[in-house]
Amino acid sequence: MIEEKTGDLLNFIVESGEPLRVLVIESPAYLRALRKKLPHADIYLVTSDEYLQAEEQLQGMKLHWLILDYLSEPLPFEHEYFDIIMGDQLLLRAGNPQDIASGLGLYIKDTGCFMTTFTNARYWKNIRDLMGGHFYHVCTHVFTRDEMLSLLAASFYKDAYFLPADDGSKVDEDFIGRLENMGFENHSNDLGVRTWMVMATKSTPEILDLKRLFTKENRRELVNRLRRVEFDIDVMENTAGLVQLWDREKLFAAYLANFIKETIMHTERFLGNVIPALWTLGRKNIAIELIEEMAAAYDLHQDYKAVLKWQTLVRDGNVAEPEENTTAGSEIDNAMVKQLPPEKRIAFITCVNSEMWYHECQLYIKHLAVPDGMAVEFIPIWDAQSMCQGYNKGMNQTDAKYKVYIHQDTLIVNHDFIKEMLKIFSEKSVGGFGVIGCRKLPATGIWWDGMRCVGRVLHACEAESVVDSICQEVEEPFVDVEAVDGLMLVTQYDVPWREDLFTGWHFYEIAQCKELQRRGYEIVVPHQDSYWCIHSPKEKPLDPSYEKYKRIFLKEYGVELEPEI
């Protein structure tokens, strides 16, 4: 007999006639009330109880059944398949709760959510038991709200909402009062809550609104166009593309204004490009509507004054012709480039599995300012067996002195990148550089665990947002580091990548830094007035092979590390 629930996690769910996809894990008590709230939903039940299908209460409910242990078996679904994944205490028995939370997140749409309950470590009874020397609850996972929030953030959830579960437990107010007198904080009556419910979303509320209105493909095209305009990439052509998208998909100014707010870092620069271009294209109507909506959306934003300045110019009709694009892109003739001596060439080497991303990466490189007498060449490596194997293959295809090993989803937005590169490499002791890394590797070998991380990069892990990742600022022209992130590693000396050891996709760049250092060369991170790169990786759990390659790295290079304490 299944005890049916009408509350708890269902309190997060609003009645809807939409054909949502919902996955319920080991929590059949929710099914009847869930079906009433979501009559047209496609409901899946995952359970390890093979006898549950015989329960009379569950007959005729149009369920999809899966008999498996979700803690040890992968779910047989496509990624981003469900709108909701829910179940009580889903992290209770997990060996590594973060693995389960992030693993389940792979199956949730970017507009979807994960809902579960968890035992509150700060519940007054748990504290009383610990004070009495009893550790019953330590046998399973308990969390504070802050710990759960941190776990969910590390599992790539962007927002979380908490509610106390109504489990009928009695509260000892006198004991809670004594705890408060001892200095225990009790926000939201935390000490009196035995079980918390949490709903974690894959996006913040602002981003959710952007995602719900247009398709993922349209949002990707939109941000690509906007970002190109922001960074002076064929401004007229890409503004015309924005106009076509506006007309074709019936975009509206309020949506576009909020999209710009979430995805554009340099508002003044962007408006200085897009408004004159719209004026020239004869689409003043878009410029007028957009700037009015931006003035409303940017209230209290750091770029509000820049928006108001352009609002005044647009209202007065005082918009000048677009400035000539001084970084116009050009096609690269690799055959012609190879006629130049090695010291006049820069090779951009990339392991590629996405035509779309590689095209975008190339587009920004083509708009870099190339010093007279120098040239760039592209070396894409398709179907690489590993990062090291692909980079070795690329390295052996060119004798260019300068090589930029760059991810396909890294965009170089500093137009003077090559000039800056030559300045850094004028120091012959410098073998390579990246844009972010650590002064000394910690004992784990993981650079971002280091005590003194330096550099900066923009991260755009989804089309609808961009965030700035800033470590310690580099005040000098550059600083010596032990390792850099592999989103981009630039070298002026050829050293074989260790494909004999690193046959996958992790620790390849850290190993290459150590190989250069073994030969007496420095690795550095330069000073950046503004961000040199945008990196657009897809957020996902670390592959299990990560730990394997960490062990390989530490076995090979561990004795050379001098971690800071």
Side-chain angles (χ1 to χ4, degrees), residues 407-424:
H407 287 187
Q408 64 182 4
D409 55 10
T410 295
L411 312 177
I412 302 176
V413 296
N414 174 12
H415 292 310
D416 291 324
F417 170 78
I418 295 175
K419 183 176 75 173
E420 299 284 1
M421 177 197 76
L422 294 174
K423 195 183 303 181
I424 294 168

Side-chain angles (χ1 to χ4, degrees), residues 218-249:
N218 285 334
R219 300 193 310 269
R220 171 52 59 189
E221 180 184 354
L222 177 57
V223 76
N224 284 353
R225 298 283 189 189
L226 292 172
R227 195 157 284 148
R228 293 172 194 169
V229 171
E230 177 184 8
F231 291 105
D232 310 316
I233 307 292
D234 301 326
V235 170
M236 288 301 299
E237 176 186 327
N238 283 292
T239 304
L242 282 174
V243 169
Q244 292 171 7
L245 189 62
W246 172 281
D247 292 336
R248 185 180 79 236
E249 300 300 329

Side-chain angles (χ1 to χ4, degrees), residues 15 27 126 326 371 484 487 517:
E15 291 186 16
S27 302
N126 292 339
T326 57
V484 298
L487 68 97
Q517 289 161 350

Side-chain angles (χ1 to χ4, degrees), residues 229-442:
V229 171
E230 177 184 8
F231 291 105
D232 310 316
I233 307 292
D234 301 326
V235 170
M236 288 301 299
E237 176 186 327
N238 283 292
T239 304
L242 282 174
V243 169
Q244 292 171 7
L245 189 62
W246 172 281
D247 292 336
R248 185 180 79 236
E249 300 300 329
K250 297 183 171 49
L251 299 181
F252 52 95
Y255 179 87
L256 189 54
N258 282 289
F259 203 99
I260 291 167
K261 182 181 177 184
E262 298 296 333
T263 60
I264 296 301
M265 290 295 295
H266 306 93
T267 307
E268 172 79 45
R269 180 177 179 176
F270 171 76
L271 290 173
N273 285 337
V274 76
I275 297 295
L278 287 169
W279 225 256
T280 301
L281 290 168
R283 296 305 297 267
K284 295 181 181 180
N285 63 309
I286 299 178
I288 293 169
E289 292 177 42
L290 176 61
I291 200 65
E292 294 297 333
E293 290 293 346
M294 287 184 70
Y298 275 69
D299 188 20
L300 302 180
H301 190 276
Q302 61 183 12
D303 293 334
Y304 187 46
K305 287 184 178 179
V307 174
L308 291 182
K309 167 192 159 185
W310 277 98
Q311 183 185 42
T312 300
L313 291 173
V314 168
R315 284 178 173 178
D316 294 344
N318 190 20
V319 177
E321 289 290 316
E323 293 185 10
E324 182 180 353
N325 190 346
T326 57
T327 58
S330 59
E331 291 302 317
I332 307 299
D333 183 347
N334 277 357
M336 182 275 292
V337 171
K338 289 184 183 296
Q339 296 175 15
L340 295 173
E343 65 273 12
K344 296 295 184 181
R345 305 202 323 259
I346 309 105
F348 289 83
I349 300 171
T350 311
C351 292
V352 183
N353 64 11
S354 166
E355 189 68 59
M356 185 278 290
W357 275 118
Y358 188 51
H359 171 268
E360 205 66 16
C361 176
Q362 284 182 302
L363 185 62
Y364 283 75
I365 294 169
K366 288 178 180 178
H367 285 75
L368 298 178
V370 181
D372 290 342
M374 299 196 72
V376 306
E377 58 182 311
F378 293 118
I379 302 180
I381 305 299
W382 292 85
D383 302 318
Q385 297 170 17
S386 69
M387 215 63 156
C388 285
Q389 184 268 346
Y391 281 166
N392 274 335
K393 187 175 180 181
M395 182 178 69
N396 293 327
Q397 288 181 21
T398 177
D399 62 352
K401 176 177 175 62
Y402 307 108
K403 295 180 176 68
V404 182
Y405 300 93
I406 184 170
H407 287 187
Q408 64 182 4
D409 55 10
T410 295
L411 312 177
I412 302 176
V413 296
N414 174 12
H415 292 310
D416 291 324
F417 170 78
I418 295 175
K419 183 176 75 173
E420 299 284 1
M421 177 197 76
L422 294 174
K423 195 183 303 181
I424 294 168
F425 285 148
S426 66
E427 295 286 343
K428 301 307 178 186
S429 61
V430 176
F433 72 86
V435 293
I436 195 166
C438 69
R439 300 296 297 270
K440 289 289 185 181
L441 279 169

Side-chain angles (χ1 to χ4, degrees), residues 140-198:
T140 58
H141 287 292
V142 295
F143 305 90
T144 66
R145 277 184 304 173
D146 286 346
E147 287 171 339
M148 178 58 67
L149 198 59
S150 296
L151 183 151
L152 292 169
S155 304
F156 313 115
Y157 297 91
K158 298 298 191 299
D159 214 345
Y161 307 87
F162 295 86
L163 288 174
D166 183 9
D167 56 10
S169 56
K170 295 181 180 180
V171 177
D172 187 334
E173 298 290 354
D174 290 338
F175 185 75
I176 289 177
R178 293 200 297 274
L179 290 176
E180 290 176 325
N181 290 334
M182 293 166 61
F184 281 78
E185 294 183 351
N186 193 22
H187 297 309
S188 303
N189 190 35
D190 191 24
L191 297 173
V193 177
R194 179 179 181 180
T195 303
W196 282 107
M197 303 181 291
V198 60

Side-chain angles (χ1 to χ4, degrees), residues 113-128:
C113 64
F114 169 62
M115 300 188 302
T116 192
T117 59
F118 63 94
T119 302
N120 180 19
R122 300 187 77 248
Y123 180 51
W124 67 271
K125 254 187 187 178
N126 292 339
I127 296 173
R128 186 187 66 182

